[in-house]
Amino acid sequence: MNEPCPKLAITMGDAGGVGPELALRVWQREEVREAGLPILMGSADLFARVAKENSLDLPETITWSQLAEIPPGSDGFIVDVGQLDAAAVKPGSYSDDTGKASYETMCAAIDAALDGRVDAVVTGPIQKEAWMQAGITFPGHTELLADRVGKAQGSAPIDVRMMLASETIACVLETIHVPLADVPGLLNTESLAKTIEMAGLAMQRRNRRRGSLLPPRIGVCGLNPHAGEHGMFSHLEEENIVIPAIEIARKNGWDVHGPLPPDTAFTPAMRDRIDVYVCLYHDQGLIPLKALSFDDAVNVTLGLPIVRTSVDHGTAMDLAWKGVASEKSMIAAIRLASELVESTL
């Protein structure tokens, strides 16, 4: 590949987890090279240590300033960001140092995408507790992206949504990393209507990339058992919030179904009738998605001016640096990032 395109930044995630190893294992894969130029972002010393301990090949390391000009004929390389004492890292263990390094790496990747130095960001898994230990207030990648991109645009955090998708199922979340007890108070009709629209637009783009002009079928889950059963098992969240949001979306031309009782929303028969689900809280969407597609699902941040995809699994500390963690989600995230970039060119 003499002129690889797009340029795909692949972040190391938490140094003590599987992220660095997965990045090193996929960068030479033919299917990854076909998707674009893999740019591994993180501590060069840490990547070198992981490569040595796992008998993996190591890309050339370049500096941040060199990222602006791609070396001719490169098959991939490392950009040394995220300060870290690589010798002190313990495989399968996180710390405030690994949290700080993964945060710095992610910030650098976002900035590179905003500056046009890379075309997309594919994120390795972070350890949220490590961020907290390092004094980082963002609970995850999604919230950091919303804040940093918003500040770059001179505004407050932008409105984003998390979509998790595979060939089997796709879910968009209305709320993300919040305690379950807080979810009802965070729901409102205007926000939910926007989430439905963002889910529809995302699936519409996917359908068009695959040559289909069919409108996406959107299923909206209820909050309560049996979608509230007309107030019998609820505080009328479906009647006061969910149904009005569905009506707004329908008036805007979307094919929306719901509110769906959550316990039957994901049965095989329902999945045949729904292209994308709007789920009201984290586990409502992620439990069925991970049960059905743990190895090949991808996390996509909707609403950004840049492309960001991610593996849909955690740091897997128990598998770190052992050569046994699955590469499927990382490769799927890379492929989708490439598709999303090409669809905007």
Side-chain angles (χ1 to χ4, degrees):
M1 269 177 123
N2 292 327
E3 296 182 359
C5 184
K7 294 170 286 185
L8 306 174
I10 304 172
T11 65
M12 70 175 180
D14 194 280
V18 296
E21 174 195 344
L22 291 178
L24 286 168
R25 280 164 53 191
V26 304
W27 79 276
Q28 282 193 314
R29 294 279 292 267
E30 177 113 11
E31 54 206 310
V32 171
R33 299 282 182 84
E34 290 175 354
L37 176 66
I39 302 168
L40 277 54
M41 300 190 74
S43 165
D45 289 343
L46 189 282
F47 277 125
R49 182 183 165 196
V50 175
K52 182 178 180 180
E53 294 189 15
N54 290 268
S55 301
L56 297 169
D57 291 329
L58 188 68
E60 173 190 358
T61 296
I62 64 172
T63 64
W64 174 261
S65 60
Q66 290 175 307
L67 182 57
E69 296 184 9
I70 301 298
S74 175
D75 289 325
F77 47 83
I78 293 169
V79 178
D80 187 16
V81 294
Q83 297 303 307
L84 188 67
D85 180 1
V89 175
K90 297 179 180 179
S93 179
Y94 62 87
S95 67
D96 54 349
D97 288 334
T98 66
K100 185 171 183 290
S102 65
Y103 170 76
E104 291 175 347
T105 298
M106 186 59 189
C107 290
I110 296 170
D111 293 346
L114 290 170
D115 292 344
R117 295 172 187 243
V118 300
D119 298 301
V121 177
V122 180
T123 56
I126 61 166
Q127 190 73 26
K128 295 177 177 63
E129 296 94 334
W131 279 24
M132 183 176 65
Q133 287 184 17
I136 297 158
T137 58
F138 300 105
H141 280 129
T142 304
E143 295 84 356
L144 171 60
L145 281 155
D147 183 81
R148 197 168 187 88
V149 172
K151 286 179 178 176
Q153 296 178 340
S155 66
I158 62 174
D159 208 5
V160 299
R161 299 293 187 276
M162 180 188 290
M163 181 175 81
L164 301 108
S166 70
E167 293 299 318
T168 304
I169 184 173
C171 299
V172 177
L173 307 183
E174 171 63 10
T175 63
I176 309 176
H177 299 121
V178 298
L180 186 58
D182 294 346
V183 170
L186 294 172
L187 299 178
N188 68 80
T189 296
E190 181 181 3
S191 175
L192 184 56
K194 183 170 183 178
T195 302
I196 296 169
E197 181 170 4
M198 292 173 80
L201 289 171
M203 296 307 292
Q204 191 175 72
R205 286 193 295 270
R206 186 168 88 164
N207 288 350
R208 288 175 178 174
R209 288 196 309 273
R210 298 177 176 187
S212 173
L213 297 179
L214 293 175
R217 300 164 298 177
I218 307 166
V220 180
C221 291
L223 176 67
N224 299 289
H226 301 188
E229 199 75 67
H230 306 293
M232 290 180 62
F233 310 131
S234 74
H235 296 293
L236 299 177
E237 291 90 352
E238 282 78 12
E239 286 76 8
N240 294 334
I241 300 171
V242 180
I243 292 173
I246 290 173
E247 291 173 348
I248 291 172
R250 286 173 176 162
K251 288 178 182 177
N252 290 333
W254 295 107
D255 181 10
V256 189
H257 305 260
L260 306 176
D263 61 342
T264 57
F266 304 99
T267 62
M270 284 300 299
R271 295 201 309 276
D272 285 342
R273 295 157 49 190
I274 299 295
D275 297 308
V276 59
Y277 292 90
V278 172
C279 302
L280 303 187
Y281 56 93
H282 184 277
D283 286 6
Q284 188 177 69
L286 267 65
I287 288 174
L289 183 127
K290 291 189 177 185
L292 292 166
S293 301
F294 184 77
D295 283 335
D296 59 353
V298 179
N299 182 344
V300 185
T301 307
L302 306 181
L304 292 172
I306 61 176
V307 172
R308 180 263 174 162
T309 65
S310 178
V311 295
D312 182 36
H313 58 71
T315 51
M317 291 290 177
D318 57 324
L319 305 179
W321 305 21
K322 295 179 180 178
V324 296
S326 173
E327 305 164 14
K328 290 181 180 179
S329 184
M330 175 68 79
I331 292 172
I334 290 169
R335 283 175 172 166
L336 181 57
S338 179
E339 286 181 23
L340 291 172
V341 171
E342 290 173 358
S343 70
T344 61
L345 294 177

